Amino acid sequence: MKSIITNRQRSLLPFGLLVASVLALSGCNQKQEERQMPPPAVSVISVPQEAVGSYKEYVARTEAVNTVELRARVEGFLTQREFIEGQTVEKDQLLFEIDPKPYIANLKKAQADLSSAKAELNKSKKDLQRSKDLYKKGHISQADLDTQTSQEAQAEASVQAAEAQLDTAKLNLGYTEIKAPFKGQIGRAKYSVGNLVAPSSEPLATLTSIDPIYVNFQVDEKQVISHLQESAGGSIPEEQQFEMRLRLPNGSDYNQSGIFNFADTHVDETTGTLTLRAEFPNPQGIIVPGLYVSLIMESKDKTEHPIIPQSAVQENQSGRFVLMVGADNSVETRQVELGRRIGPMWVVNTGLKAGEKIIVEGLQKVRPGVKVTPSIVTIDPETGGIKAQPQPGQQQSSQANKQG
């Protein structure tokens, strides 16, 4: 069957050939431009390594070592409040004063009663001595001597009672001053100056110690058994011990290390965990009781592992991977197995070696098999970002300042 070409189609043939020629030439030019484009520039790092120990992390809660409710031990009107709520007070600092006048009067009366009792005792002793002399001469009977002896004993008991009353009066007068039993932070005062308080009143305020601070956490019973088996009932060798650190609720690392303080005597039947406690110094009062924190335990026995920034890690169906640059500057994919995080850095368990080069900037411009122009940079381990490189002029200026 012969194709029928209309006059209109014949007139369009030259135009179609022209378009085809232009497209063919355009494709050739594009391929030529691609061949002539330089390799994309990327930033790479030489993978560093760091000594890392075995690592465990627990959810923990902080607790004050000492907490006390300050209460009135005698009745009276508050006359002083010598602190600012929420601030740190020192040991033995005066916090509250209850009107001491009634207790000063009681003290003076007790002193007077004691003096009177001692005078009566002194008289009774002299009377008893005279009675003994008269009894020997036969001037008084045995009953009279017994009566005098009893009176002397009663006078002695009266002195002891008066001394006890004096001690009580001194104690009560001392209780009019409520002092801090230890250094710590004091909370809100529940009574103002002028209020009547008594031993039955609510606590005047609460004092909480802040340095050191306890950190309580729970360990699974399997870990407890493993620990007991490893230690065989004795102490753990030094190389198997752990360093204790904290990560605070805002994600920052606490700058003080802790020590193991206490282990409970039994496993909780409902949770299957054993409660442990660590102690951390808290000189600046950064940690307050009741915080949820992360307790990090790392063994003192450490091995070298590669560490890389988290921004360099990608993930696909096969798992996590990084793009690395080989000896011929070609990009290749390397699957990695990652361990713990150290700030913005990730510990690599397997897949990379120290000194190998991975891409940290320009990942979106490359793919496996493409050649690149690598530029070596340095990662700031505190931020995980690339450290700024000083310009040549800045380097000269810095050196001149040092020489000057």
Side-chain angles (χ1 to χ4, degrees), residues 10-48:
R10 287 194 185 95
S11 63
L12 292 175
L13 282 175
F15 178 74
L17 293 174
L18 177 61
V19 171
S21 300
V22 171
L23 291 176
L25 290 173
S26 175
C28 294
N29 291 337
Q30 186 175 357
K31 291 179 180 179
Q32 186 174 2
E33 289 177 359
E34 287 181 354
R35 287 195 298 269
Q36 294 175 353
M37 287 182 63
V42 294
S43 298
V44 301
I45 62 167
S46 179
V47 176

Side-chain angles (χ1 to χ4, degrees), residues 213-229:
I213 198 85
Y214 284 155
V215 178
N216 297 311
F217 62 104
Q218 283 74 42
V219 176
D220 184 83
E221 57 188 355
K222 295 179 182 178
Q223 297 181 25
V224 176
I225 295 300
S226 299
H227 163 74
L228 294 175
Q229 290 174 335

Side-chain angles (χ1 to χ4, degrees), residues 330-383:
S330 294
V331 177
E332 62 180 81
T333 300
R334 181 71 64 84
Q335 300 292 139
V336 291
E337 180 185 332
L338 302 177
R340 56 174 288 200
R341 292 185 178 183
I342 305 178
M345 308 297 285
W346 224 321
V347 175
V348 180
N349 290 335
T350 59
L352 279 178
K353 296 180 181 178
E356 291 185 311
K357 294 178 175 57
I358 64 169
I359 301 175
V360 294
E361 190 175 63
L363 294 167
Q364 70 280 2
K365 299 188 295 185
V366 299
R367 63 181 184 275
V370 172
K371 288 197 174 185
V372 295
T373 302
S375 176
I376 299 291
V377 296
T378 304
I379 292 294
D380 184 348
E382 297 296 327
T383 64

Side-chain angles (χ1 to χ4, degrees), residues 193-376:
V193 172
N195 286 140
L196 178 65
V197 296
S200 59
S201 302
E202 291 185 6
L204 307 182
T206 300
L207 180 65
T208 304
S209 65
I210 55 174
D211 184 25
I213 198 85
Y214 284 155
V215 178
N216 297 311
F217 62 104
Q218 283 74 42
V219 176
D220 184 83
E221 57 188 355
K222 295 179 182 178
Q223 297 181 25
V224 176
I225 295 300
S226 299
H227 163 74
L228 294 175
Q229 290 174 335
E230 290 174 3
S231 62
S235 60
I236 301 178
E238 178 68 21
E239 65 274 7
Q240 295 183 22
Q241 294 183 1
F242 287 87
E243 296 176 347
M244 291 187 171
R245 294 180 290 105
L246 289 181
R247 183 178 300 119
L248 302 179
N250 63 356
S252 63
D253 292 329
Y254 187 53
N255 60 359
Q256 300 278 355
S257 59
I259 58 173
F260 179 75
N261 177 275
F262 165 78
D264 206 346
T265 56
H266 65 281
V267 173
D268 190 308
E269 296 179 358
T270 57
T271 61
T273 59
L274 183 72
T275 298
L276 304 180
R277 187 173 70 198
E279 181 181 310
F280 284 80
N282 189 29
Q284 297 177 335
I286 294 175
I287 304 176
V288 297
L291 288 179
Y292 278 106
V293 295
S294 296
L295 178 73
I296 299 167
M297 298 178 63
E298 184 176 1
S299 63
K300 293 183 178 179
D301 183 21
K302 301 180 180 182
T303 55
E304 297 288 335
H305 284 270
I307 59 171
I308 59 176
Q310 298 178 22
S311 58
V313 179
Q314 302 183 71
E315 191 169 1
N316 57 18
Q317 293 180 347
S318 300
R320 295 189 175 102
F321 68 94
V322 295
L323 295 179
M324 61 178 300
V325 177
D328 61 348
N329 289 341
S330 294
V331 177
E332 62 180 81
T333 300
R334 181 71 64 84
Q335 300 292 139
V336 291
E337 180 185 332
L338 302 177
R340 56 174 288 200
R341 292 185 178 183
I342 305 178
M345 308 297 285
W346 224 321
V347 175
V348 180
N349 290 335
T350 59
L352 279 178
K353 296 180 181 178
E356 291 185 311
K357 294 178 175 57
I358 64 169
I359 301 175
V360 294
E361 190 175 63
L363 294 167
Q364 70 280 2
K365 299 188 295 185
V366 299
R367 63 181 184 275
V370 172
K371 288 197 174 185
V372 295
T373 302
S375 176
I376 299 291

Side-chain angles (χ1 to χ4, degrees), residues 117-135:
K118 285 182 176 180
E120 185 65 29
L121 175 62
N122 187 48
K123 178 180 178 298
S124 296
K125 287 181 180 293
K126 292 179 180 180
D127 290 344
L128 178 61
Q129 186 60 46
R130 282 194 295 267
S131 296
K132 287 180 179 179
D133 292 340
L134 292 173
Y135 176 76

Side-chain angles (χ1 to χ4, degrees), residues 39-64:
V42 294
S43 298
V44 301
I45 62 167
S46 179
V47 176
Q49 63 181 8
E50 184 175 314
V52 180
S54 58
Y55 168 88
K56 295 176 183 177
E57 186 170 329
Y58 302 93
V59 175
R61 193 161 193 176
T62 58
E63 176 189 10

